[in-house]
Amino acid sequence: MRILSPFVMVVVILMMSAFAKSQTLPAPDAITDPKLITSKSDARVEKSLSIEKLYMTRQVGGSTWSPDGWSPNGKTVAFVSNLSGRNNLWLVASEGGWPMQLTVSDQRQTSPTWSPDGKWIAYMSDYDGDEQWDIFLVSPKTGQVVNLTNTREIAEESPAWSPDGRYLAYMVKPKTSSVFEIDVYDTVLRDVKHLTTGTAKDRMNVAPIWSKDGKFIVYTQEQSKGTDSNVFLVEVASAQSTLLTPHDGERTYSANDVSPDGKSVLITSNAGDGYDNVGLLDIASKKIRWLTQDKWEISGESFSPDGKFLTYNANVDGNTDIYLFDIDSGKAHALPLPKGVNFTAGRPSPFTRDNSHLLCYHTGPTAPGDLLVYALAESKSHQLTHSLVGGVRSEDMVEPQLVHYPSKDNKWTISAFVYVPYNLPRNGEHPAIVYVHGGPTAQTMNTFNRFVQYMANQGYIVIAPNYRGSTGYGKEFQQANLFDMGGGDLQDVLAAADWIKQTGYVDPKKLILMGGSYGGYMTMMGVTKAPELWAAGVPIVPFVNWFTEIQNEDPVLQQSDLATMGDPEKNKALYEDRSPINFVDKIKAPLYLLAGGNDPRCPKEEAQQVVDAVKKRGGVVEYKVYENEGHGFSKVENQIDAYKRVADFLKAHVPPADCSCSLNE
């Protein structure tokens, strides 16, 4: 819900379908008895992690291959990284080596994609986090930068080159609109053609994908509620769109790639069994050949350039693997990559043109995200980027334990990751953080979390639940909080607190609730609806008042909130009950709130309401606004400042059991 362009995944149950043999992915072992949670002993582990060093570990974002085919002396990867403290574009040789900074800007950049002739790299950049994206071009040879769209009141996103390199397709949305349309820019004539127009205000067209002959584009049309979507094909010459996924009822269909021969579309859909699976949609017949039939979240990715293989991603309870699928034989195998979260990288394709190598992205609980180059013939990979910095040792960081616990209403099994510090005595004296993800249609994955690792290193247990409404566990679970935001999902978060208290490690008077975005909202709901439970709360970029949030947020999110909470007048009682600002007088825990000055999703005025109300009644509240940031913080100095403030606040109000920490360290 707090995600402007979620690119909801997607295919059609009424169509005739051919099923490949389903690959049943085994469920991982999960702890269900809190007494089985353990702290590992390791005398080598040091309480040496610092906020400053953890946030100086590099972040690696979008990437793209140079178009010259694999060659030991010529192949280059462009990628986004905050090596300089800003998310700028960098170049690195495909065999590895020292990267070269390509763009130098105070503003964040994302979604790079190399033109087919190699002359330009297109990317997106906004202004101090306001999400009013423009599309830029940069020359990889000279570093010359051109603002292609230059429209401050219109956002352009997801640039995609035509195969001949003449045209750029992208999503476009005026600031006051709730609708994304698809435009095409002619780089020769320098004019714009609208491929879609007049889309209903509760729909948006996303993720344009070119056919290899450049004659048509496939895109996904999403509905604001997030429960229904379709795949369309639009002819570039005529701008005529054709629906490829007609269906009854609410089902999601999304396009991932177009086959090299232009005859089929790789899609992701929950239409088969209520779980995202992948299939091949034949454009002519609109029939689907299902490639997977599993009860985990399977997402389509890309075709190989020769059309013999494709890749998809399997998310099994927060760990993901990349699968290479042989289209003729119907056989798939997982790439031998480290445990954690793996997916293919590179726009528009992770494959080199000669089908020999794949660009992949890996992150794990003790490893920041990095790019890998995987050689298909040798089944081996080498690490391309290196995000750790000196003094941040993987062995000092915690591997989380996967746990399952029943929801309070016994309708669901809730999955969570639990981080237990090393060398912790089971004496019931330790603080614990319930760390709530945003979205809510998102998921806590087995990835690198700088703040969580710091707090675990300092002696805090952390439990991160995937409450109802999260992705990763099927359609029914994901939609279980519709018209009940802050209801059953909050109970799942409170159940996480109850569960972690039973481990024998935790002091029940030292519970902390913390989260960002929708997780910030859940934090405010928790400290108002269950005030006796918490020793401190940290709402980060939250919203707190459904009425003012809908009035002031980006129009895309406005449509989403109306679709998932109902009409504010008809459902006024629900809106009032689920707005924590109405219950500030119940708060007992000290709070620390963070906000971004240009946040279009949860405007800073939401957090300000809480600060004013708590101060008025004499409560304890601290507040920091980063005026040059948006929904979350991208500038490294702001990340360090924000999370050092939070860590110091928590150590002061809810100190670790041994309290060897110092507020001045």
Side-chain angles (χ1 to χ4, degrees):
M1 183 182 62
R2 301 301 109 194
I3 301 170
L4 285 179
S5 303
F7 296 170
V8 176
M9 301 279 169
V10 355
V11 137
V12 113
I13 200 167
L14 298 180
M15 300 179 184
M16 294 177 62
S17 304
F19 286 90
K21 289 185 178 179
S22 64
Q23 180 167 357
T24 302
L25 300 170
D29 293 331
I31 295 171
T32 57
D33 182 353
K35 299 298 184 186
L36 296 180
I37 287 290
T38 56
S39 170
K40 293 182 179 179
S41 297
D42 192 332
R44 299 168 299 172
V45 170
E46 302 176 4
K47 286 192 174 182
S48 61
L49 297 182
S50 71
I51 291 287
E52 290 85 354
K53 281 192 173 181
L54 276 165
Y55 279 89
M56 285 304 293
T57 58
R58 315 308 182 188
Q59 292 179 309
V60 174
S63 57
T64 180
W65 283 114
S66 62
D68 51 0
W70 178 267
S71 59
N73 59 359
K75 193 64 177 172
T76 305
V77 172
F79 65 99
V80 174
S81 179
N82 68 346
L83 279 160
S84 65
R86 299 292 183 269
N87 288 303
N88 289 169
L89 268 62
W90 293 71
L91 300 176
V92 66
S94 57
E95 317 83 54
W98 186 259
M100 180 186 76
Q101 187 166 357
L102 179 60
T103 59
V104 180
S105 172
D106 195 46
Q107 303 300 340
R108 62 180 179 174
Q109 299 160 351
T110 188
S111 304
T113 180
W114 218 306
S115 64
D117 60 10
K119 293 180 179 179
W120 297 98
I121 298 171
Y123 63 90
M124 298 157 44
S125 184
D126 69 348
Y127 302 85
D128 287 340
D130 67 356
E131 300 185 27
Q132 289 302 111
W133 304 95
D134 276 333
I135 292 174
F136 291 75
L137 302 182
V138 60
S139 167
K141 291 184 178 180
T142 68
Q144 177 191 359
V145 171
V146 178
N147 186 335
L148 197 68
T149 54
N150 202 20
T151 52
R152 287 293 287 117
E153 297 300 310
I154 301 173
E156 293 92 3
E157 304 184 24
S158 297
W161 291 98
S162 63
D164 63 4
R166 176 171 174 172
Y167 303 96
L168 264 176
Y170 48 81
M171 300 157 46
V172 58
K173 185 187 85 68
K175 188 174 183 178
T176 56
S177 173
S178 63
V179 176
F180 280 101
E181 302 283 12
I182 306 293
D183 279 1
V184 168
Y185 181 85
D186 186 331
T187 62
V188 175
L189 299 180
R190 299 188 180 184
D191 63 8
V192 174
K193 181 176 184 176
H194 306 305
L195 290 191
T196 68
T197 56
T199 302
K201 68 178 183 179
D202 64 342
R203 301 282 191 273
M204 53 185 177
N205 303 315
V206 302
I209 304 165
W210 287 89
S211 63
K212 299 308 179 279
D213 62 6
K215 292 183 178 179
F216 66 86
I217 285 172
V218 168
Y219 64 91
T220 302
Q221 185 177 95
E222 300 173 352
Q223 185 256 1
S224 296
K225 191 178 174 185
T227 57
D228 194 73
S229 59
N230 276 297
V231 174
F232 283 83
L233 181 153
V234 59
E235 298 283 351
V236 175
S238 65
Q240 292 297 309
S241 287
T242 301
L243 174 62
L244 297 182
T245 53
H247 63 277
D248 294 324
E250 292 187 333
R251 295 177 177 85
T252 58
Y253 302 83
S254 68
N256 306 120
D257 200 8
V258 177
S259 62
D261 63 9
K263 293 181 179 180
S264 59
V265 182
L266 176 63
I267 59 170
T268 304
S269 174
N270 67 10
D273 60 0
Y275 291 81
D276 282 350
N277 278 284
V278 298
L280 288 178
L281 169 63
D282 183 78
I283 291 174
S285 67
K286 299 183 182 179
K287 295 178 182 177
I288 296 160
R289 171 191 169 191
W290 294 91
L291 307 184
T292 66
Q293 191 183 0
D294 224 301
K295 293 198 173 182
W296 292 106
E297 189 172 85
I298 318 295
S299 304
E301 292 191 325
S302 302
F303 286 98
S304 62
D306 61 9
K308 294 180 179 179
F309 297 93
L310 58 82
T311 58
Y312 61 78
N313 189 285
N315 169 8
V316 179
D317 223 345
N319 285 277
T320 65
D321 288 309
I322 300 166
Y323 282 79
L324 188 66
F325 182 88
D326 185 313
I327 294 174
D328 286 339
S329 70
K331 294 181 179 178
H333 69 273
L335 302 190
L337 298 174
K339 182 182 177 183
V341 171
N342 301 291
F343 52 85
T344 58
R347 287 169 59 95
S349 173
F351 289 90
T352 51
R353 287 187 175 182
D354 63 358
N355 306 280
S356 64
H357 292 77
L358 265 175
L359 192 60
C360 305
Y361 180 89
H362 166 75
T363 179
T366 64
D370 275 305
L371 294 171
L372 311 174
V373 175
Y374 183 84
L376 293 170
E378 292 84 24
S379 298
K380 293 181 179 178
S381 61
H382 69 265
Q383 189 169 328
L384 191 59
T385 60
H386 299 271
S387 294
L388 280 175
V389 297
V392 179
R393 308 187 309 166
S394 291
E395 54 263 38
D396 291 333
M397 291 182 274
V398 173
E399 294 262 2
Q401 299 167 53
L402 179 66
V403 309
H404 288 171
Y405 62 86
S407 62
K408 289 191 173 187
D409 57 12
N410 288 314
K411 290 182 178 180
W412 306 103
T413 295
I414 307 301
S415 179
F417 284 110
V418 174
Y419 299 77
V420 184
Y422 285 101
N423 308 314
L424 210 64
R426 198 188 296 261
N427 58 11
E429 296 180 0
H430 306 286
I433 301 172
V434 180
Y435 193 89
V436 190
H437 71 71
T441 47
Q443 182 181 7
T444 293
M445 308 288 285
N446 193 18
T447 59
F448 188 69
N449 187 306
R450 291 161 177 79
F451 186 77
V452 167
Q453 289 294 346
Y454 175 75
M455 297 307 288
N457 188 253
Q458 298 299 300
Y460 292 76
I461 293 174
V462 180
I463 182 168
N466 283 311
Y467 51 87
R468 72 189 73 182
S470 300
T471 54
Y473 303 97
K475 172 181 176 178
E476 192 177 356
F477 186 82
Q478 184 176 325
Q479 297 179 13
N481 64 349
L482 291 180
F483 308 107
D484 187 38
M485 304 291 181
D489 50 8
L490 174 63
Q491 295 304 311
D492 298 340
V493 170
L494 300 180
D498 293 341
W499 196 90
I500 204 69
K501 285 191 292 186
Q502 298 172 48
T503 61
Y505 286 104
V506 175
D507 182 342
K509 295 181 179 179
K510 287 188 171 184
L511 286 175
I512 298 159
L513 186 56
M514 175 177 179
S517 190
Y518 190 84
Y521 164 71
M522 293 286 274
T523 299
M524 285 303 306
M525 285 295 292
V527 298
T528 55
K529 294 289 189 176
E532 305 287 346
L533 193 57
W534 308 107
V538 183
I540 300 170
V541 293
F543 70 97
V544 299
N545 183 329
W546 280 103
F547 296 99
T548 57
E549 170 71 354
I550 285 180
Q551 182 179 353
N552 298 319
E553 66 187 338
D554 183 275
V556 169
L557 284 171
Q558 183 182 78
Q559 289 299 313
S560 173
D561 286 344
L562 291 171
T564 54
M565 280 288 283
D567 181 84
E569 289 301 319
K570 294 179 180 177
N571 290 357
K572 187 176 181 180
L574 175 66
Y575 273 66
E576 290 177 341
D577 180 63
R578 302 300 164 81
S579 293
I581 192 64
N582 294 330
F583 307 98
V584 170
D585 61 322
K586 305 290 186 184
I587 296 174
K588 297 183 180 297
L591 302 181
Y592 203 116
L593 290 92
L594 299 174
N598 298 309
D599 191 341
R601 309 187 196 193
C602 300
K604 64 181 180 180
E605 289 78 12
E606 290 293 305
Q608 187 68 55
Q609 291 181 55
V610 177
V611 176
D612 293 344
V614 172
K615 284 184 176 179
K616 186 176 181 179
R617 53 177 285 271
V620 178
V621 62
E622 296 186 45
Y623 181 44
K624 177 65 176 176
V625 181
Y626 295 90
E627 294 294 350
N628 60 348
E629 297 280 11
H631 194 64
F633 314 135
S634 65
K635 296 176 171 65
V636 169
E637 70 272 18
N638 290 340
Q639 294 171 352
I640 291 171
D641 183 76
Y643 291 103
K644 195 169 190 312
R645 287 171 181 269
V646 170
D648 290 348
F649 170 81
L650 292 178
K651 288 179 183 180
H653 290 279
V654 196
D658 62 5
C659 210
S660 60
C661 59
S662 166
L663 292 184
N664 298 315
E665 65 178 335

Short mmCIF file of all heavy atoms in Angstrom, two decimals, residues 9 27 49 101 107 165 219 234 310 339 361 367 397 435 461 467 476 485 498 539 564 575-576 603 626 630:
data_model
loop_
_atom_site.label_atom_id
_atom_site.label_comp_id
_atom_site.label_asym_id
_atom_site.label_seq_id
_atom_site.Cartn_x
_atom_site.Cartn_y
_atom_site.Cartn_z
N MET A 9 2.30 -9.11 -9.20
CA MET A 9 2.51 -10.26 -10.05
C MET A 9 1.20 -10.89 -10.56
O MET A 9 0.18 -10.79 -9.99
CB MET A 9 3.26 -11.32 -9.28
CG MET A 9 4.58 -10.85 -8.80
SD MET A 9 5.74 -10.95 -10.09
CE MET A 9 7.08 -10.07 -9.42
N ALA A 27 9.27 -27.35 2.23
CA ALA A 27 9.21 -26.30 3.25
C ALA A 27 10.45 -26.38 4.13
O ALA A 27 10.90 -27.47 4.49
CB ALA A 27 7.95 -26.46 4.08
N LEU A 49 30.58 -3.87 16.27
CA LEU A 49 29.89 -3.22 15.16
C LEU A 49 29.47 -1.80 15.57
O LEU A 49 29.06 -1.58 16.71
CB LEU A 49 28.66 -4.02 14.74
CG LEU A 49 28.92 -5.43 14.20
CD1 LEU A 49 27.62 -6.09 13.79
CD2 LEU A 49 29.88 -5.39 13.02
N GLN A 101 33.32 5.63 -11.18
CA GLN A 101 32.08 6.38 -11.04
C GLN A 101 31.76 7.08 -12.35
O GLN A 101 32.59 7.75 -12.94
CB GLN A 101 32.20 7.41 -9.91
CG GLN A 101 30.87 8.10 -9.61
CD GLN A 101 30.89 8.86 -8.29
OE1 GLN A 101 31.88 8.83 -7.56
NE2 GLN A 101 29.78 9.53 -7.98
N GLN A 107 21.69 13.74 -6.13
CA GLN A 107 20.38 13.09 -6.17
C GLN A 107 20.53 11.59 -6.45
O GLN A 107 21.47 11.17 -7.13
CB GLN A 107 19.50 13.73 -7.24
CG GLN A 107 19.30 15.23 -7.06
CD GLN A 107 18.65 15.60 -5.74
OE1 GLN A 107 18.00 14.78 -5.10
NE2 GLN A 107 18.81 16.85 -5.33
N GLY A 165 17.25 0.80 -30.62
CA GLY A 165 17.85 1.89 -29.88
C GLY A 165 17.31 3.27 -30.18
O GLY A 165 17.78 4.27 -29.62
N TYR A 219 2.59 -4.87 -21.53
CA TYR A 219 2.60 -4.20 -20.23
C TYR A 219 1.56 -4.83 -19.32
O TYR A 219 0.70 -5.62 -19.76
CB TYR A 219 2.37 -2.70 -20.37
CG TYR A 219 1.02 -2.30 -20.93
CD1 TYR A 219 -0.08 -2.05 -20.10
CD2 TYR A 219 0.81 -2.16 -22.31
CE1 TYR A 219 -1.31 -1.68 -20.60
CE2 TYR A 219 -0.42 -1.79 -22.83
CZ TYR A 219 -1.48 -1.55 -21.98
OH TYR A 219 -2.70 -1.19 -22.49
N VAL A 234 0.29 -3.84 -26.79
CA VAL A 234 -0.02 -2.64 -27.55
C VAL A 234 0.88 -2.56 -28.77
O VAL A 234 2.10 -2.69 -28.67
CB VAL A 234 0.10 -1.36 -26.69
CG1 VAL A 234 1.50 -1.20 -26.10
CG2 VAL A 234 -0.31 -0.12 -27.47
N LEU A 310 14.77 -20.03 -19.78
CA LEU A 310 14.26 -18.85 -19.07
C LEU A 310 14.62 -19.00 -17.61
O LEU A 310 14.98 -20.08 -17.14
CB LEU A 310 12.76 -18.68 -19.28
CG LEU A 310 11.80 -19.81 -18.88
CD1 LEU A 310 11.49 -19.80 -17.38
CD2 LEU A 310 10.52 -19.72 -19.68
N LYS A 339 23.04 -19.13 0.36
CA LYS A 339 21.72 -19.01 0.96
C LYS A 339 21.41 -17.54 1.25
O LYS A 339 22.28 -16.76 1.61
CB LYS A 339 21.66 -19.82 2.26
CG LYS A 339 20.30 -19.78 2.95
CD LYS A 339 20.33 -20.56 4.25
CE LYS A 339 18.98 -20.46 4.98
NZ LYS A 339 18.99 -21.16 6.29
N TYR A 361 22.15 -11.15 -8.43
CA TYR A 361 22.26 -10.33 -7.22
C TYR A 361 22.08 -11.25 -6.03
O TYR A 361 21.16 -12.09 -6.00
CB TYR A 361 21.20 -9.24 -7.21
CG TYR A 361 21.21 -8.34 -6.00
CD1 TYR A 361 21.98 -7.18 -5.99
CD2 TYR A 361 20.46 -8.63 -4.87
CE1 TYR A 361 22.00 -6.33 -4.88
CE2 TYR A 361 20.47 -7.80 -3.76
CZ TYR A 361 21.23 -6.66 -3.78
OH TYR A 361 21.25 -5.82 -2.68
N ALA A 367 25.65 -10.68 4.71
CA ALA A 367 26.30 -10.22 3.48
C ALA A 367 25.46 -9.14 2.81
O ALA A 367 24.34 -9.41 2.37
CB ALA A 367 26.49 -11.39 2.51
N MET A 397 28.14 -11.03 12.89
CA MET A 397 26.72 -10.82 12.63
C MET A 397 25.92 -12.11 12.82
O MET A 397 26.47 -13.21 12.78
CB MET A 397 26.53 -10.23 11.23
CG MET A 397 27.06 -8.81 11.16
SD MET A 397 26.82 -8.00 9.57
CE MET A 397 28.27 -8.55 8.69
N TYR A 435 10.17 -6.03 15.08
CA TYR A 435 10.56 -5.20 13.93
C TYR A 435 9.58 -5.48 12.79
O TYR A 435 9.54 -6.58 12.25
CB TYR A 435 11.99 -5.57 13.53
CG TYR A 435 12.66 -4.62 12.57
CD1 TYR A 435 13.38 -3.52 13.05
CD2 TYR A 435 12.59 -4.81 11.20
CE1 TYR A 435 14.03 -2.65 12.19
CE2 TYR A 435 13.22 -3.94 10.33
CZ TYR A 435 13.94 -2.87 10.82
OH TYR A 435 14.57 -2.01 9.96
N ILE A 461 17.54 -8.91 21.26
CA ILE A 461 16.88 -9.91 20.42
C ILE A 461 15.93 -9.19 19.48
O ILE A 461 15.30 -8.19 19.86
CB ILE A 461 16.14 -10.95 21.29
CG1 ILE A 461 17.14 -11.78 22.09
CG2 ILE A 461 15.26 -11.85 20.44
CD1 ILE A 461 16.50 -12.73 23.08
N TYR A 467 3.30 -10.73 9.06
CA TYR A 467 1.91 -10.73 9.48
C TYR A 467 0.97 -10.90 8.28
O TYR A 467 1.37 -10.76 7.13
CB TYR A 467 1.61 -9.42 10.20
CG TYR A 467 2.02 -8.18 9.42
CD1 TYR A 467 1.17 -7.60 8.49
CD2 TYR A 467 3.28 -7.59 9.61
CE1 TYR A 467 1.55 -6.48 7.77
CE2 TYR A 467 3.66 -6.46 8.89
CZ TYR A 467 2.79 -5.91 7.97
OH TYR A 467 3.16 -4.80 7.24
N GLU A 476 -4.73 -15.81 -0.43
CA GLU A 476 -5.66 -15.72 0.69
C GLU A 476 -5.01 -15.02 1.88
O GLU A 476 -5.62 -14.16 2.53
CB GLU A 476 -6.12 -17.13 1.09
CG GLU A 476 -7.30 -17.14 2.05
CD GLU A 476 -7.78 -18.54 2.38
OE1 GLU A 476 -7.27 -19.51 1.79
OE2 GLU A 476 -8.67 -18.66 3.24
N MET A 485 -7.26 -3.11 8.04
CA MET A 485 -5.91 -2.62 8.30
C MET A 485 -5.78 -2.20 9.77
O MET A 485 -6.61 -1.45 10.28
CB MET A 485 -5.58 -1.43 7.39
CG MET A 485 -5.73 -1.72 5.91
SD MET A 485 -4.46 -2.86 5.32
CE MET A 485 -4.90 -2.96 3.58
N ASP A 498 4.30 -11.78 22.25
CA ASP A 498 3.97 -12.85 23.21
C ASP A 498 4.89 -14.05 23.02
O ASP A 498 5.35 -14.66 23.99
CB ASP A 498 2.51 -13.28 23.02
CG ASP A 498 1.52 -12.19 23.40
OD1 ASP A 498 1.92 -11.25 24.13
OD2 ASP A 498 0.37 -12.26 22.96
N PRO A 539 8.40 4.71 15.46
CA PRO A 539 7.70 4.77 14.17
C PRO A 539 8.54 5.57 13.16
O PRO A 539 8.86 6.73 13.40
CB PRO A 539 6.39 5.49 14.50
CG PRO A 539 6.38 5.67 16.00
CD PRO A 539 7.81 5.62 16.43
N THR A 564 -8.84 -0.44 -0.37
CA THR A 564 -8.59 -1.45 0.65
C THR A 564 -9.22 -1.13 2.01
O THR A 564 -9.32 -2.01 2.87
CB THR A 564 -7.07 -1.65 0.86
OG1 THR A 564 -6.47 -0.39 1.15
CG2 THR A 564 -6.43 -2.24 -0.39
N TYR A 575 -12.41 3.86 10.02
CA TYR A 575 -11.32 4.83 9.85
C TYR A 575 -10.90 5.43 11.19
O TYR A 575 -9.71 5.60 11.47
CB TYR A 575 -11.75 5.94 8.90
CG TYR A 575 -11.53 5.67 7.44
CD1 TYR A 575 -12.22 4.67 6.76
CD2 TYR A 575 -10.63 6.43 6.71
CE1 TYR A 575 -12.03 4.43 5.41
CE2 TYR A 575 -10.41 6.21 5.36
CZ TYR A 575 -11.12 5.20 4.70
OH TYR A 575 -10.91 4.98 3.37
N GLU A 576 -11.87 5.77 12.01
CA GLU A 576 -11.57 6.39 13.29
C GLU A 576 -10.89 5.41 14.24
O GLU A 576 -9.92 5.75 14.92
CB GLU A 576 -12.84 6.96 13.92
CG GLU A 576 -13.38 8.18 13.17
CD GLU A 576 -14.68 8.70 13.74
OE1 GLU A 576 -15.36 7.92 14.46
OE2 GLU A 576 -15.04 9.86 13.47
N PRO A 603 3.32 11.74 4.34
CA PRO A 603 3.86 13.09 4.52
C PRO A 603 4.28 13.35 5.96
O PRO A 603 3.70 12.80 6.91
CB PRO A 603 2.68 13.98 4.11
CG PRO A 603 1.87 13.13 3.17
CD PRO A 603 1.99 11.73 3.70
N TYR A 626 14.19 14.77 8.13
CA TYR A 626 15.27 14.98 7.17
C TYR A 626 14.64 15.64 5.95
O TYR A 626 13.98 14.99 5.14
CB TYR A 626 15.97 13.66 6.85
CG TYR A 626 16.65 13.10 8.07
CD1 TYR A 626 15.98 12.26 8.94
CD2 TYR A 626 17.94 13.50 8.40
CE1 TYR A 626 16.58 11.79 10.10
CE2 TYR A 626 18.56 13.03 9.55
CZ TYR A 626 17.88 12.18 10.40
OH TYR A 626 18.47 11.73 11.55
N GLY A 630 12.93 11.58 1.22
CA GLY A 630 11.54 11.22 0.96
C GLY A 630 11.08 10.10 1.88
O GLY A 630 11.24 10.16 3.10
#
